[in-house]
Amino acid sequence: MTRRILTVALAAAMSLVASAQKPGQPSWLSDAVVYQIYPSSFQDSDGNGIGDLPGIASRLEYIKSVGVTAIWMNPIFVSGWTDGGYDVIDFYKVDPRFGTNTDLVNLVEKAHSLGIKVILDLVAGHSSDQSEWFKQSQEAANLRYSDYYIWPSFKPEMPASDGPQDYYALMNSSAGIISKFVKSDAPRGPYYIKNFFDTQPALNFGFANPDPEHPWEQAVDAPGPMAMRRELKNIMQFWMDKGVDGFRVDMAASLVKNDFDKSATIKLWKEDLAKWFHENYPENLLIAEWFNPSQSIAADFNIDFFCHDGTYNYSTLFFYNRRGRGAGNGPVYPYFDLEGKGELKTWYDLYTFQYEAVKGKGYVSMPSGNHDFNRLCDGARTSTDQLKVAMTFFLTMPGVPFMYYGDEIGLKHIAGVPAVEGGGGRCGTRIPMLWDSSENAGFSTAATEKLYLPQDPDPSRRTVESELADPNSLLNYVKRLLELRKEFKALGADADWKLVSSLEQPYPMIYQRGEGESRCLVVINPSAKQVSAAIPTEGVQPKVIGGTGKKQSYKAGKTEDKIIAAGCSATIYKF
Ligand code: GLC
């Protein structure tokens, strides 16, 4: 009898925990920790100075030891290399510089044997201008791939603008598409539409409300766009059959053109592409690069990012310059800076909007970095202590954590490295990993000048080897944070999140995770000064379970609790 009551109680408790998770999402997702790898820069196995798949396979034990459960690799397919692999020539073949399709299968098998999932980058919205599809589409004759691309017969007038427009406004107006017209001398027509660079012609998934005056604007369900959908599913199926665990979909919001409110693109994913994927691969994952979870989760993606793009989602927290890339107009003092002059409200308003919009349906993920914007270790934020504070934030927030390779050891952003393969100012975030004290820090046996990009030349640079040897290193700290996240569900992907400190006094930032008996409190102070704050009383004295170990105090009072946080510190409490 007692056992029966216990079983019923346990089942009820489990369903409570599970209810926070999206119904029908992959069972492993709640506990996932994703590590993003830029394949050219992670580990070279054949001495040509460029990373490759066997190299990544050889580092999987390390990745597992950090506490990671899944890797996402930037595109590894045959590419024209004008945009770091995002200009795909052959969607069904691994680029020879990374190895072969068999090397990918071997990597997946080894990863699975270690309990690590493998996520590929799916460039759904465009191909390379060197692809066979695009070459054929340029012909005047009506051939198999003719309608895989969009060929305007004339360029409409740019609508008059009333003053400077930001990226968001531009992309959500008809000016957005006109700015993507590329002049062409192909027999097919005078223009094609690109997605990003001129070398990346947009694939044709149709237009929302096609304009009869513009014959190139096909309906979403016209034969060309329907064939395009079948091809995309075929690509997904091809790689899923090889054992991969899902995709991060590049520019997922870009598919249907002139779709200003994104309703047609959401419908396309929700009613067809994502529906088909989840029905066939219920234990696998679709991550959107959409930068607007309120839309992408409605489109049936499992996760979307909240970082540099879209509404500049977290720029006020981390960026020393505009969009975290080049010079200009950014916050001079991001929140995560010793000066302590940042603010939280901009980020808070944007984040809470997205968080509330998708709670229980999917995840908002704030990655520690990615290949498109400056690294965390940048500008005036390079000390181990500062990086520990930022990592505490990233790894104790809700959603699935994403770490960009090297962020776990504080790999530094190197501004001004030569721009390669369309990376421009983004190359500073794509430099080769630093493993040990051997030649080229263990990344490659090639001559140093042959490396894909130069490494951080600082003689005191952090490497995996030096970080492992130091008990107080960032790497060991990150490992402990990930262990804590696993141990305390209140710190996990599904547990509630609530800011409890005041936006009027941004330092320290204090947030609560979890509910009821299972609650944690995280106190983050990136500023150099000791700070204190009062919050409505919790009625109990919490216990410190993690953090940077600097001076802190928590005094539970009758009406309010008083918290003191040392300069540049983070503390995790458990009630
Ligand atoms: C995405 C990628 C970026 C690429 C662009 C075009 O934003 O992250 O690296 O340049 O799409 O594919």
Side-chain angles (χ1 to χ4, degrees):
M1 183 63 182
T2 327
R3 188 189 270 171
R4 217 185 127 234
I5 293 172
L6 263 179
T7 317
V8 172
L10 194 67
M14 280 174 70
S15 75
L16 260 187
V17 173
S19 70
Q21 191 184 321
K22 179 182 162 136
Q25 79 171 13
S27 55
W28 51 273
L29 195 53
S30 281
D31 301 317
V33 177
V34 185
Y35 188 75
Q36 181 193 344
I37 295 176
Y38 197 71
S40 297
S41 303
F42 197 59
Q43 179 64 59
D44 174 20
S45 75
D46 58 6
N48 68 352
I50 301 181
D52 47 48
L53 295 182
I56 294 172
S58 74
R59 295 295 188 181
L60 286 171
E61 285 85 357
Y62 161 73
I63 292 172
K64 185 183 167 71
S65 76
V66 177
V68 165
T69 66
I71 57 171
W72 150 38
M73 295 180 289
N74 291 97
I76 52 168
F77 315 106
V78 178
S79 170
W81 296 106
T82 64
D83 185 20
Y86 284 94
D87 48 330
V88 179
I89 291 178
D90 185 345
F91 288 80
Y92 296 93
K93 196 170 169 207
V94 166
D95 193 284
R97 82 193 221 174
F98 295 135
T100 61
N101 287 12
T102 305
D103 288 322
L104 178 67
V105 172
N106 292 339
L107 169 66
V108 169
E109 279 172 6
K110 179 168 176 191
H112 286 175
S113 75
L114 292 167
I116 297 173
K117 309 278 182 188
V118 178
I119 296 157
L120 301 184
D121 210 314
L122 177 70
V123 189
H126 47 273
S127 74
S128 159
D129 61 352
Q130 303 305 308
S131 78
E132 283 308 315
W133 301 345
F134 190 64
K135 284 186 186 157
Q136 197 188 85
S137 182
Q138 294 177 44
E139 302 295 325
N142 189 352
L143 303 167
R144 176 169 177 184
Y145 300 119
S146 295
D147 281 345
Y148 271 30
Y149 300 89
I150 308 159
W151 292 94
S153 45
F154 63 91
K155 187 171 177 175
E157 288 291 306
M158 221 26 174
S161 118
D162 38 9
Q165 294 200 41
D166 70 7
Y167 166 86
Y168 216 60
L170 182 69
M171 295 321 293
N172 289 295
S173 71
S174 54
I177 195 84
I178 300 171
S179 70
K180 305 264 179 190
F181 276 47
V182 182
K183 189 93 196 81
S184 162
D185 53 13
R188 177 67 184 276
Y191 298 98
Y192 64 87
I193 291 180
K194 65 173 176 177
N195 238 13
F196 195 64
F197 289 141
D198 289 2
T199 52
Q200 293 162 307
L203 294 167
N204 181 18
F205 291 91
F207 280 69
N209 308 311
D211 180 346
E213 306 279 299
H214 297 164
W216 61 88
E217 298 187 5
Q218 298 178 355
V220 174
D221 57 359
M226 289 307 283
M228 200 61 254
R229 291 193 211 182
R230 285 194 295 275
E231 185 79 54
L232 192 61
K233 288 180 195 163
N234 208 39
I235 295 167
M236 290 198 256
Q237 188 166 12
F238 181 82
W239 294 112
M240 293 307 293
D241 287 350
K242 303 224 175 301
V244 308
D245 300 285
F247 301 97
R248 171 267 191 191
V249 181
D250 185 64
M251 289 180 69
S254 74
L255 301 198
V256 180
K257 302 303 183 198
N258 276 356
D259 183 23
F260 308 134
D261 65 0
K262 297 291 166 204
S263 55
T265 310
I266 292 171
K267 191 165 183 262
L268 175 68
W269 283 105
K270 186 182 170 59
E271 292 180 9
D272 191 6
L273 301 172
K275 182 169 183 267
W276 168 86
F277 182 86
H278 295 308
E279 274 169 12
N280 285 284
Y281 310 105
E283 270 300 288
N284 300 112
L285 181 62
L286 280 184
I287 305 167
E289 189 211 35
W290 193 307
F291 305 121
N292 190 342
S294 69
Q295 294 180 339
S296 55
I297 304 301
D300 234 354
F301 283 86
N302 301 98
I303 302 178
D304 190 8
F305 297 113
F306 186 92
C307 46
H308 64 300
D309 234 324
T311 45
Y312 307 133
N313 295 319
Y314 76 31
S315 54
T316 52
L317 296 191
F318 296 105
F319 294 167
Y320 285 96
N321 46 41
R322 189 174 169 269
R323 296 180 73 190
R325 283 183 192 157
N329 308 334
V332 182
Y333 297 111
Y335 180 76
F336 281 85
D337 184 271
L338 289 176
E339 290 282 340
K341 293 183 179 160
E343 54 98 9
L344 275 180
K345 191 171 176 337
T346 310
W347 164 77
Y348 177 81
D349 287 347
L350 291 166
Y351 180 77
T352 46
F353 166 72
Q354 299 290 1
Y355 173 70
E356 295 298 339
V358 308
K359 208 171 161 191
K361 302 182 208 140
Y363 297 119
V364 182
S365 283
M366 279 192 292
S368 69
N370 85 14
H371 59 290
D372 285 333
F373 58 91
N374 286 20
R375 278 186 183 269
L376 181 61
C377 183
D378 184 32
R381 187 181 48 237
T382 55
S383 76
T384 297
D385 278 356
Q386 288 171 288
L387 300 173
K388 283 182 179 175
V389 174
M391 277 301 189
T392 313
F393 172 72
F394 284 124
L395 301 179
T396 60
M397 285 295 283
V400 176
F402 277 67
M403 265 191 306
Y404 186 44
Y405 81 96
D407 281 353
E408 78 280 17
I409 59 162
L411 196 65
K412 211 191 268 170
H413 187 86
I414 306 295
V417 294
V420 297
E421 299 181 341
R426 301 176 293 179
C427 287
T429 196
R430 301 176 179 184
I431 58 166
M433 183 67 172
L434 299 172
W435 294 101
D436 54 37
S437 52
S438 68
E439 199 62 16
N440 302 324
F443 164 65
S444 170
T445 54
T448 301
E449 65 279 6
K450 288 258 163 64
L451 298 190
Y452 176 63
L453 280 166
Q455 291 173 305
D456 178 4
D458 184 347
S460 61
R461 63 193 182 183
R462 291 172 280 246
T463 65
V464 169
E465 185 180 57
S466 69
E467 289 281 292
L468 283 174
D470 173 3
N472 293 318
S473 69
L474 178 64
L475 176 57
N476 283 317
Y477 184 76
V478 164
K479 285 186 182 186
R480 280 199 297 278
L481 280 175
L482 289 176
E483 280 162 15
L484 271 183
R485 209 182 147 93
K486 217 158 117 188
E487 191 183 339
F488 296 95
K489 284 283 171 230
L491 295 173
D494 298 311
D496 274 359
W497 174 85
K498 190 171 76 184
L499 188 75
V500 291
S501 57
S502 157
L503 291 173
E504 306 293 309
Q505 190 212 309
Y507 297 89
M509 160 173 22
I510 308 173
Y511 49 86
Q512 195 180 92
R513 298 293 323 276
E515 271 183 291
E517 293 295 285
S518 164
R519 265 178 311 141
C520 289
L521 196 85
V522 183
V523 180
I524 303 273
N525 177 25
S527 83
K529 284 198 216 91
Q530 174 173 307
V531 287
S532 61
I535 57 167
T537 188
E538 292 286 347
V540 238
Q541 182 67 31
K543 201 170 99 205
V544 176
I545 55 166
T548 52
K550 290 208 187 158
K551 189 177 154 225
Q552 56 72 36
S553 88
Y554 191 111
K555 284 212 177 73
K558 279 217 174 83
T559 53
E560 49 177 39
D561 295 354
K562 284 212 89 173
I563 296 167
I564 300 176
C568 196
S569 73
T571 307
I572 308 170
Y573 298 93
K574 162 95 182 73
F575 287 106

